[in-house]
Amino acid sequence: MLKPSLFLFLLAALPAAAQKPPKPVPPPAPIEYKDGKLSYAPDSLGNRVPDFSYCGYRAGEAAIPTAIIKVTVPARAGDATARIQSALDYVAGLPLGKDGLRGAVLLEKGTYEVAGRLFIRASGVVLRGSGMGEGGTVLVGTGFSRDHLLTVSGRNDRKVDAAQTITADYVPVNARTLKVANPAAFKVGDRVVIRRPSTAAWIKKLGMETFGGGLSSLGWKPGQREVSWDRQVMAVDASGITLDAPLTTALDKTYGGGTVARGIWP
């Protein structure tokens, strides 16, 4: 049997490295490029960098069609707002083609002064220039308004059905599947609107109920920072629906979760 003094001596003689805890293993990188491919690693909640390959015309699965030129607006000195807007309105009144386009308004090479604002109010209308930089088409806002120079908008006449609450406690970033109480209310091909509310609890968690110095009218208010996504239903099963593209923000039931509803355009 070892004497106590000898036992303590042996402990003190152990290498310092043997007494240190092992170094923690770092988590995998959220994005890694290897062998010509990108790979994404989710975190502990399933969040990962969103797959933005779904962005663009028809999710990048079809070539962008070329719109036929219907009107050419020549470059001239002076305010061109009325001339360009008249051409845009004319093309907006033309019928849609099978490719979903009505036609293009062509701006020639040169400088166009725009003292007002331009609006595209119908789908299928293209405003096309004749090149970039020197020797191309340049639009110069000469007015005093801080509004957008070009606004693309439509009619807010979408009919939205009663919303269903998303039943999962947490839906991570990049998710495409949503659990709902009544999946039978949806069918493949439906256009849907997913909403994430901006609740008082969420605003307080971010510390945005005030901008310093106590409560103020500048702080965020519930309902002011809601996020919504327009998606299409690709599959329906007993537990929920699958979307055509992922969500870019998590839905956490602690902060209001989210809802999904059919949205129908006339």
Side-chain angles (χ1 to χ4, degrees):
M1 182 176 180
L2 294 175
K3 294 182 179 180
S5 58
L6 180 58
F7 180 74
L8 293 174
F9 173 79
L10 291 174
L11 283 178
L14 288 174
Q19 301 179 33
K20 291 183 178 180
K23 292 183 178 180
V25 179
I31 304 177
E32 185 177 2
Y33 181 75
K34 187 177 181 180
D35 299 329
K37 295 182 179 180
L38 286 173
S39 60
Y40 303 87
D43 64 11
S44 60
L45 295 175
N47 301 295
R48 52 149 280 190
V49 175
D51 184 353
F52 286 103
S53 67
Y54 291 92
C55 296
Y57 180 78
R58 296 190 180 277
E61 296 180 354
I64 299 175
T66 300
I68 298 174
I69 298 171
K70 299 294 184 178
V71 181
T72 299
V73 180
R76 296 175 183 169
D79 183 18
T81 306
R83 294 190 295 120
I84 298 175
Q85 188 61 58
S86 178
L88 292 172
D89 291 342
Y90 168 75
V91 176
L94 298 177
L96 281 169
K98 293 181 179 180
D99 56 2
L101 298 177
R102 302 176 195 271
V105 173
L106 178 66
L107 303 182
E108 296 180 336
K109 295 180 180 181
T111 299
Y112 292 78
E113 296 180 1
V114 179
R117 298 176 62 191
L118 300 173
F119 297 87
I120 295 179
R121 299 185 175 93
S123 297
V125 179
V126 175
L127 180 61
R128 181 183 301 160
S130 299
M132 299 174 60
E134 294 185 12
T137 302
V138 178
L139 290 176
V140 178
T142 59
F144 297 99
S145 172
R146 293 187 177 184
D147 288 324
H148 304 98
L149 189 65
L150 174 63
T151 299
V152 180
S153 62
R155 292 187 298 272
N156 187 19
D157 55 358
R158 177 171 55 182
K159 307 295 183 183
V160 180
D161 291 350
Q164 288 198 49
T165 299
I166 296 169
T167 58
D169 291 337
Y170 190 87
V171 180
V173 176
N174 199 62
R176 290 180 55 217
T177 57
L178 301 176
K179 293 183 178 180
V180 294
N182 183 23
F186 302 96
K187 65 180 184 298
V188 174
D190 279 348
R191 305 298 304 188
V192 293
V193 182
I194 301 98
R195 296 188 187 279
R196 193 216 66 183
S198 53
T199 62
W202 176 73
I203 294 171
K204 185 175 182 180
K205 180 69 174 180
L206 296 179
M208 298 304 294
E209 74 275 20
T210 175
F211 284 102
L215 295 175
S216 71
S217 60
L218 298 177
W220 291 2
K221 305 296 186 297
Q224 289 184 339
R225 295 293 186 274
E226 296 194 358
V227 179
S228 65
W229 298 266
D230 293 321
R231 295 290 186 265
Q232 188 172 17
V233 176
M234 303 302 290
V236 180
D237 58 28
S239 62
I241 61 176
T242 300
L243 307 174
D244 61 330
L247 302 183
T248 54
T249 299
L251 306 178
D252 190 338
K253 188 171 286 188
T254 304
Y255 303 109
T259 61
V260 57
R262 290 201 315 153
I264 304 171
W265 296 99

